[in-house]
Amino acid sequence: EIVLTQSPGTLSLSPGEGATLSCRASQSVSSSFLAWYQHKPGQAPRLLIYGPTSRATGTPDRFSGSGSGTDFTLTISRLEPEDFAVYYCQQYHTSPTFGQGTKVEI
Amino acid sequence: EVQLVESGGGLVQPGGSLRLSCAASGFTFSSYDMHWVRQTTGKGLEWVSAIDTAGDTYYPDSVKGRFTISRDNAKNSLYLQINSLSVGDTAVYYCVRGAVWVEATYFDYWGRGTLVTVSS
């Protein structure tokens, strides 16, 4: 099983600032089969990024994904109030596994 | 608009059983692989079952033998039968649509989830 470790656990930021979220895999994720999700309380999780640089339908261009091998990053260029949420990475190189999440809070 | 609406969660005693349902709309249900993913306090998000368009099923070893996923394409519905429930099965269960290959995929649409609580 590929274990994903996200850091930091919590990011405390203000609207307008940038955010960098990290996801490290316990083994190489070939072909960069990695996705990112946003989850707000009481809502369905939402796919943001897959592949790991392709934006899902409706994902604003302030969100970008990068990385390969074992190290992946989700970057939010300028935080909007609606971006404060928990973000999860997920690999699909093998049976899907998820990171433990990074909470982006004000 | 794609919608996935789960139901059937609730409070169950250890050793009991439960059947979760998911009503799908807004897409051609029979053309997509479907999955259940759960979120527990201790282990976070965990993929627990999948069913492909041909009806073949897939499970991680952690739930094999206790979980049964099924689908009814005529009713645009997905189901999860959970037997021999334990406290560790307490979680929010999400109905999820797979985007690529059934055994290794990301998930492009999620429901809001249904809470299963296992307690005496």
Side-chain angles (χ1 to χ4, degrees):
Chain A
E1 172 180 300
I2 297 177
V3 176
L4 299 178
T5 302
Q6 292 187 240
S7 61
T10 302
L11 264 179
S12 297
L13 296 167
S14 300
E17 291 189 295
T20 301
L21 287 66
S22 174
C23 177
R24 177 162 289 177
S26 60
Q27 58 188 272
S28 182
V29 177
S30 76
S31 302
S32 298
F33 289 154
L34 190 109
W36 291 91
Y37 302 89
Q38 178 190 67
H39 192 196
K40 299 178 183 178
Q43 296 187 19
R46 172 192 173 193
L47 174 68
L48 291 176
I49 302 282
Y50 62 94
T53 62
S54 300
R55 293 186 193 88
T57 303
T59 300
D61 60 8
R62 64 180 179 274
F63 290 90
S64 62
S66 62
S68 63
T70 61
D71 289 299
F72 298 88
T73 300
L74 176 69
T75 302
I76 311 172
S77 58
R78 296 170 313 280
L79 284 162
E80 298 287 340
E82 62 267 27
D83 299 336
F84 291 91
V86 180
Y87 293 83
Y88 295 95
C89 59
Q90 178 236 324
Q91 65 79 24
Y92 51 105
H93 169 64
T94 61
S95 288
T97 56
F98 295 84
Q100 82 281 17
T102 291
K103 182 178 183 180
V104 178
E105 64 176 22
I106 296 178
Chain B
E1 178 192 6
V2 172
Q3 286 200 321
L4 299 168
V5 180
E6 303 91 340
S7 61
L11 177 62
V12 188
Q13 291 192 334
S17 298
L18 205 59
R19 189 194 197 206
L20 306 181
S21 299
C22 170
S25 60
F27 65 103
T28 305
F29 179 72
S30 59
S31 297
Y32 286 86
D33 303 327
M34 296 297 297
H35 304 250
W36 289 95
V37 172
R38 70 182 179 183
Q39 184 168 31
T40 65
T41 302
K43 296 180 72 175
L45 288 163
E46 179 186 17
W47 169 76
V48 294
S49 62
I51 186 166
D52 65 18
T53 56
D56 292 329
T57 59
Y58 305 82
Y59 307 93
D61 289 343
S62 58
V63 306
K64 203 171 289 184
R66 293 196 305 118
F67 285 30
T68 303
I69 187 173
S70 60
R71 67 191 300 162
D72 185 335
N73 291 335
K75 294 183 177 180
N76 289 339
S77 293
L78 180 72
Y79 306 100
L80 183 67
Q81 176 73 36
I82 311 175
N83 297 328
S84 302
L85 280 154
S86 67
V87 172
D89 295 317
T90 295
V92 176
Y93 286 76
Y94 295 100
C95 170
V96 186
R97 192 177 85 169
V100 285
W101 317 277
V102 64
E103 291 186 88
T105 183
Y106 61 93
F107 307 108
D108 57 0
Y109 288 96
W110 298 59
R112 293 187 177 218
T114 187
L115 175 62
V116 173
T117 302
V118 184
S119 175
S120 55

